[in-house]
Amino acid sequence: MTSSEDLYPVSRLAAVQEATAKAGIDALLLTPGPDLRYVSGYDAKPLERLTCLVVPASGEPYMMVPRLELPAAQASPASRLGLEFVAWDETDDPYRIAADRLGGAATVGLADRMWAMASLRFREVLPDAEQVLAGRVLRELRMRKSPAEVAALRQAGEAIDAVHRQVPGFLRAGRTEREVGRDIAEAILAAGHATVDFVIVASGPNGASPHHEVSDRVIQAGEPVVVDIGGQLHNGYCSDSTRTYCVGEPPADFTAYYEALRRAQEAACAAVRPGVTCESIDAAARDVLTEAGYGDYFIHRTGHGIGIETHEEPYIVAGNAEPMEPGFAFSVEPGVYLPGRHGARIEDIVVCGDDGPVRLNDTPRELVIV
């Protein structure tokens, strides 16, 4: 089991501070969300009361916290960082307190998921400061997963694989997507996740909608069913895996493109190695489907990064010339979607290793007929 000390090391704060200075930003302002958790380990509640980790380019970082949230902040991994916790009371203006401590900051980096109400308040109290995204600093760090982070993602992959192994027992003609989805959600939690982030059970024509969730549609015999599921472990790291099933014998036109899809997913995974571009991995999948005549039915990018968010950088998409580096973790999930008929997707989480791809999911990629 990966420890919080490994996943959220004390050294990370110094690395972030160094990167902030290098980027020419005077301070990062990190409110509750993935950026704050990544830097400090604190999974703070997003509230109307301000919690904010202030990381100046020089000087001592500190955490603004509502006084009633101080015990939770002190009990979190952030307590290991040697931070000053600046507790504020209900009659205080925490934004003004932060501004006074920052002085004449010319540029501040706001957490990418900061609420607009907080962003606008910081603009009021720091009217001369340019606001930029903290992602300019954090993306380079967050994309390169440490061995501990890879281990956490592997744990998440094993947990969601355990759920996919149960899915054939949930699927049968006559059940609704919602009934199957409820069983899957319970299984996700039972497998060790802290949260169920999404459950897609897309039967028949619903399979042609990549982000369909669940409905009261009754699953019919002979129908393909796309099952895309994921959650977040207690340590903050996420799972995400898609498999396609068929309740009984599949339609002939579905069988034809499913084999092309399987080859496309295999080609994209095999293309992963240090130095290749993100867009070349997308092309590896897209070229196979285009040659097979299904290119127009692959309507989304091949993948997205994953870590403490299900979707983060790098994105595996045409136009992204970012070169792969060891530690990049992302999905490889080509799909084929025939409107009004059916669809299919195969998704694994893959890490770029020193010599090539490392898959973190290992359930069968061949069509599973139940």
Side-chain angles (χ1 to χ4, degrees), residues 35 44 69 72 83 103 122 133 141-142 155 160 193 196 210 223 241 253 327 348 359 370:
D35 288 334
E69 295 295 324
L83 290 170
F122 275 123
L133 290 176
L141 298 169
R142 286 183 57 179
Q155 180 187 353
I160 209 67
H193 293 79
V196 178
E223 286 187 335
S241 180
D253 57 346
D348 291 323
R359 290 193 189 192
V370 298

Side-chain angles (χ1 to χ4, degrees), residues 21 50 52 72 78 102 110 115 119 134 144 159 211 243 250 254-255 271 295:
L50 178 70
C52 184
L102 280 170
L110 307 185
W115 286 357
S119 171
R144 299 178 180 87
H211 278 175
R243 293 294 184 262
F254 175 86
T255 303

